[in-house]
Amino acid sequence: MATQIFTLVGVLIGALTSYVATAVAERAKFQREMATRWDERKLDTYIDYVTCIKQIQRAAMDAGRARDQGADASEALAAMEESENRRSVLFETFVLLSNEMAATAAHAVNQRTWELLNTTRVPSNGTAALRPIRLVEALNVLHEAARSDLTISSGSSAG
C-alpha cells in the first residue's frame, strides 16, 4: 500500500511539475508574441510619422522653388497641408505607442515642422526663407530615440 501511495504522489508531483513548466513556457511565449506585435506596430507608426514629416518638408521646398521661379505654389501648398493633417493624426498614435524619450523627440519635431509650415505659408517666402536644418536635426534626435525604444543598435542617421 505504501508503494502505491508513493507512486501516486510521484505521478501527482510529475503532473504538477509538467503543468507548471508548460504554463510558464506558454506565458513567456505569449509575452514575447505580444512584445513583438507591439514592436511591429510601433515601427510601422514611427516610419509612417517620419515619412509624413519628410513629405511636408518636400512639399514646403517645392512651394518655395515654385515661388522662386514665379510659378503657382498652390499644388505644393495643398500637398503640404494634406501631409500636415495626416501628421497630426499619426502623432497621436506615435505618442500612445512610444516611450517618453521618443514622444519628447516627436514633440520637438512637431515644433520644427510647425515653424517650417508657418514660414512656407507666407506667400512671399521662397527657398531662401525655408531652412529645414532645425527640422533635420530634430529628426535625427527622433531617429535615435526610436531606435532606443525599439532596442535597435544605434548607427549613423541621415536627414
Side-chain angles (χ1 to χ4, degrees):
M1 177 80 163
T3 55
Q4 291 175 340
I5 292 176
F6 286 133
T7 303
L8 183 58
V9 168
V11 169
L12 288 174
I13 289 173
L16 183 61
T17 303
S18 177
Y19 171 77
V20 168
T22 301
V24 167
E26 285 299 315
R27 181 172 171 82
K29 179 182 173 187
F30 175 75
Q31 288 175 335
R32 279 191 309 273
E33 287 173 356
M34 291 304 292
T36 299
R37 184 173 86 174
W38 284 112
D39 279 351
E40 288 172 0
R41 172 81 180 178
K42 251 191 236 191
L43 178 61
D44 291 343
T45 299
Y46 290 2
I47 289 169
D48 289 345
Y49 176 79
V50 170
T51 298
C52 194
I53 295 295
K54 295 298 246 177
Q55 289 169 340
I56 291 169
Q57 181 183 11
R58 276 189 218 103
M61 296 308 290
D62 288 347
R65 276 191 291 280
R67 288 176 179 152
D68 289 345
Q69 298 168 358
D72 182 19
S74 61
E75 191 174 316
L77 291 170
M80 183 184 77
E81 296 300 339
E82 182 180 326
S83 293
E84 166 54 12
N85 290 335
R86 187 165 176 261
R87 182 219 48 83
S88 179
V89 172
L90 286 170
F91 178 71
E92 298 305 321
T93 305
F94 188 107
V95 170
L96 286 172
L97 294 176
S98 67
N99 67 10
E100 188 176 342
M101 190 169 104
T104 300
H107 281 288
V109 168
N110 283 346
Q111 291 295 323
R112 301 297 84 76
T113 302
W114 294 328
E115 290 170 5
L116 180 62
L117 287 164
N118 289 332
T119 302
T120 305
R121 288 175 181 140
V122 174
S124 61
N125 285 339
T127 55
L130 305 177
R131 295 190 180 173
I133 301 297
R134 293 180 70 194
L135 176 57
V136 171
E137 291 169 350
L139 278 170
N140 288 339
V141 172
L142 177 62
H143 294 156
E144 289 296 321
R147 278 195 293 275
S148 174
D149 188 21
L150 295 168
T151 61
I152 298 171
S153 64
S154 184
S156 65
S157 61

